[in-house]
Amino acid sequence: MKYRHLKLLLAVGAGSLLLVGTSCNKLEDFGDTNVNPLGSTTPITSALLTNVESQLGGFASVIRPALYVQYVAETQYTDASLYAEPKLEFGGNYSGPLYDLQSIIDRNSNPATAGKFALSGSAANQIAVSKILKSYLISTVTDRWGDVPYEESLKAAGNFTPKFDMQLDIYKKMFADLKDAVDGFDGGLKMQGDIMYAGDQAKWKKLANTLRMQLALRLSKRYPAPGGLAAMEFAAAAAHPAGFIATNADNFTLNYPGGAAYRHPWFNTYNGRSDYALSKTLTDILSNLGDARRSAYGTSDAAFPYGLKRDQALTVNPSYAKVLADSKRTESSPVVVVSAASSLLAVAEGLERGWITSTINPAYASAKTAYEDAIKASFDQWGIAGGAAYAVSGPVAFNSGAGGGTGVGVNSFGSIPASSNAVTTTSLQRIHLQRYIALFPDGIQAWNSWRRTGIPDIKPTAFATNSAAGFTIPRRYVYGTDEYSLNPAALAEAVGRLTGGDVMSARVWWDQQ
């Protein structure tokens, strides 16, 4: 993260001073070698925003959690599918997009500097947009690792060893930032450099309220009851007069221009390699439900068995289904980061839980209405006909649908137990199953949903190698080696809050009851 990279640069700089001291009398003989005379010392905040937004498709296409929820299967090197335990770093999230967003906020919050960035939008609008994006991005970090640096991070040289904030505190900060952002937009110049919503404040407000609802639902294990923290945050967002995302026209979408630098993440994944396939687990569920989104989610019906050992995987017919249909995986295909379907399914769950009532939004008098509209929105998002009929069909029907069947993912290699299933017995479970389907191929959000709800009831591969985690599907990422070497004291405190220590089977705070 930013504090780490600066620390390393300072260390390298100290070594350089020793070297030049042996051959020269004065450092000024070289001038200031750290300054580019042609460079600007003042960033263009609209360019910082564009840089951040250009990376969002990657956050909605992370492969490892997509493997954990069995959206995707590995076809050659199968370590991740067998739950190998790498120590993954989160530093790049801080030194890159999060630091850029904090720079926008800091520069526009300081009266002495805010005027320098007026061409990028009013200070209030720049701050509001940055807070919304910052909340989205930090949520993807804390939801994967658990407790992570936040309040003391993003200060550059101000703090090389920030504390790890407790996840509850991070969530409260995200709720506050999203609320402040919605209420903070003004009538001034819209945010420039915005390649997602082109500065449309109404759409940004709907996104903020939608994110707040979705984050509130993430806490449903901890605060399940109406009137609790999660329900209160959810209700405040759902009732906000700015509204939430309810149509695909308001989807938070990154449209890739194509070309070498900015191409769809899954196009890049298959550009020269073919290490991943559409998982048989997901396709079994879609087939059992008669779900036509199957034609958009993969290239054929030849789904790949999940959780195979390498020697087994290499024997599978190489003409397996790739992730996403060819027409949905061109270099200029869009990536929907937050969709109307996921937003409306959140509304359906809020209604079903009793966190909100139909008076919140007259368009949604019942959870059933929101559920069916969410399914139709998902079909329309993918350009698939028949969403309205599917939403009321036998296995999907809100009040009685039996779900996606038993034995999903079972294969001739015996990697998936027959007990793996997508059966639904309640309306709430049907909402969860449709969320699992609608989020594809966003692995982080699907993994979040599965950890919170247990729907579908997928089982770990029989060939799992993570003995320290009890051969179970991972519940979190373990901390990276950088944290152990550069911030050990703060890390030790965070690890001490994990039941079982820093292992993949330990649960992040919201994943505990």
Side-chain angles (χ1 to χ4, degrees), residues 347-391:
V347 173
E349 182 169 349
L351 287 163
E352 188 68 10
R353 287 183 175 277
W355 287 6
I356 56 175
T357 66
S358 58
T359 59
I360 290 290
N361 188 316
Y364 298 103
S366 68
K368 180 176 182 291
T369 300
Y371 170 84
E372 292 171 357
D373 282 359
I375 293 173
K376 288 183 283 186
S378 180
F379 271 64
D380 290 345
Q381 173 191 327
W382 291 102
I384 303 298
Y390 168 85

Side-chain angles (χ1 to χ4, degrees), residues 10 18 53 116 174 199 226 233 391 404:
L10 288 173
L18 291 175
E53 291 184 342
K116 297 179 180 179
M174 290 190 292
E233 290 290 343

